């Protein structure tokens, strides 16, 4: 059974990642390996940010107040094509968001030049601190190299010590015609 979604940027009604992983039907939809060509035409990619684990604390007391900034960027540029943000999960090294965001675009214009960037921040009163991030090539998403929910190793920001392998984020990607 596919998860029931509310409107964009809202919580998934079935928040259990385990139930998502056990659903092979998602992998059998057109657009995953062996399916439709999503490298051309108007496409929308639905990105689901499920949870993270092992986040280091950036606060003096307690755990981080984490949120994820999801962007579609060209190369290493700071400007982005689209940007979404999850809600803040307070004082939690293993936050769960279960939120999804829709990125509509023309596939040819981004397939080989853009990345989906996921940056985990600690929300603070004065300034938010980046905890970790990951970049996933848009072309990999469009070709179906990545798709069904799975975990990814997060990387420390430049100049910070490496993160342990337990610092991970669970993401899912679905492609469809716009």
């Amino acid at each position: 059974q596919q998860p029931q979604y509310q409107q964009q940027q809202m919580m998934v009604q079935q928040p259990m990642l385990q139930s998502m992983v056990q659903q092979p039907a998602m992998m059998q939809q057109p657009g995953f390996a062996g399916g439709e060509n999503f490298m051309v035409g108007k496409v929308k990619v639905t990105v689901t940010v499920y949870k993270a684990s092992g986040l280091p604390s950036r606060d003096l007391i307690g755990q981080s107040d984490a949120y994820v900034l999801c962007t579609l960027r060209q190369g290493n540029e700071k400007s982005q094509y689209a940007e979404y943000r999850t809600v803040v999960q307070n004082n939690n090294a293993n936050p769960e968001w279960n939120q999804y965001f829709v990125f509509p675009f023309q596939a040819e214009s981004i397939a080989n030049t853009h990345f989906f960037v996921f940056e985990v921040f600690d929300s603070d009163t004065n300034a938010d601190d980046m905890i970790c991030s990951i970049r996933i090539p848009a072309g990999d998403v469009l070709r179906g190299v990545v798709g069904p929910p799975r975990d990814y190793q997060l990387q420390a920001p430049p100049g910070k010590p490496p993160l342990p392998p337990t610092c991970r984020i669970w993401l899912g990607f679905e492609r469809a015609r716009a």
Side-chain angles (χ1 to χ4, degrees):
Q1 180 180 359
Q2 291 291 328
Q4 300 296 313
Y5 293 112
Q6 294 178 6
Q7 293 181 351
Q8 181 177 343
Q9 298 186 23
M10 302 302 283
M11 300 300 288
V12 174
Q13 291 178 357
Q14 296 178 357
M16 297 302 296
L17 176 65
Q18 190 62 28
S19 68
M20 291 293 298
V21 173
Q22 293 174 353
Q23 299 295 328
M26 179 181 277
M27 290 184 267
Q28 296 168 4
Q29 292 177 356
F32 284 103
E36 185 178 349
N37 178 7
F38 285 96
M39 295 299 285
V40 296
K42 291 183 181 178
V43 175
K44 64 179 178 180
V45 172
T46 302
V47 176
T48 305
V49 180
Y50 293 100
K51 65 179 183 174
S53 66
L55 297 180
S57 178
R58 295 288 189 239
D59 290 337
L60 295 175
I61 300 173
Q63 298 296 320
S64 294
D65 304 319
Y67 67 89
V68 179
L69 186 64
C70 310
T71 57
L72 181 59
R73 295 185 185 163
Q74 183 172 0
N76 291 322
E77 295 181 17
K78 289 289 182 185
S79 63
Q80 60 270 346
Y81 172 81
E83 178 178 282
Y84 298 103
R85 178 180 158 166
T86 66
V87 296
V88 174
Q89 295 295 321
N90 292 314
N91 199 31
N92 195 338
N94 302 300
E96 293 191 23
W97 295 282
N98 294 310
Q99 286 182 266
Y100 74 96
F101 309 101
V102 177
F103 291 83
F105 50 81
Q106 188 72 26
E108 306 89 304
S109 64
I110 69 126
N112 297 312
T113 58
H114 285 65
F115 293 85
F116 287 95
V117 179
F118 301 90
E119 297 170 312
V120 182
F121 284 88
D122 176 25
S123 179
D124 287 321
T125 305
N126 297 329
D128 296 351
D129 301 316
M130 187 194 304
I131 301 171
C132 48
S133 66
I134 185 171
R135 294 168 36 113
I136 298 175
D140 286 357
V141 173
L142 294 174
R143 284 187 291 279
V145 175
V146 297
R150 63 167 278 231
D151 65 318
Y152 296 86
Q153 173 70 46
L154 289 161
Q155 304 297 317
K160 298 281 185 179
L163 296 171
T166 55
C167 188
R168 306 188 76 76
I169 190 166
W170 279 258
L171 304 169
F173 299 88
E174 289 186 54
R175 304 165 300 154
R177 288 283 167 215

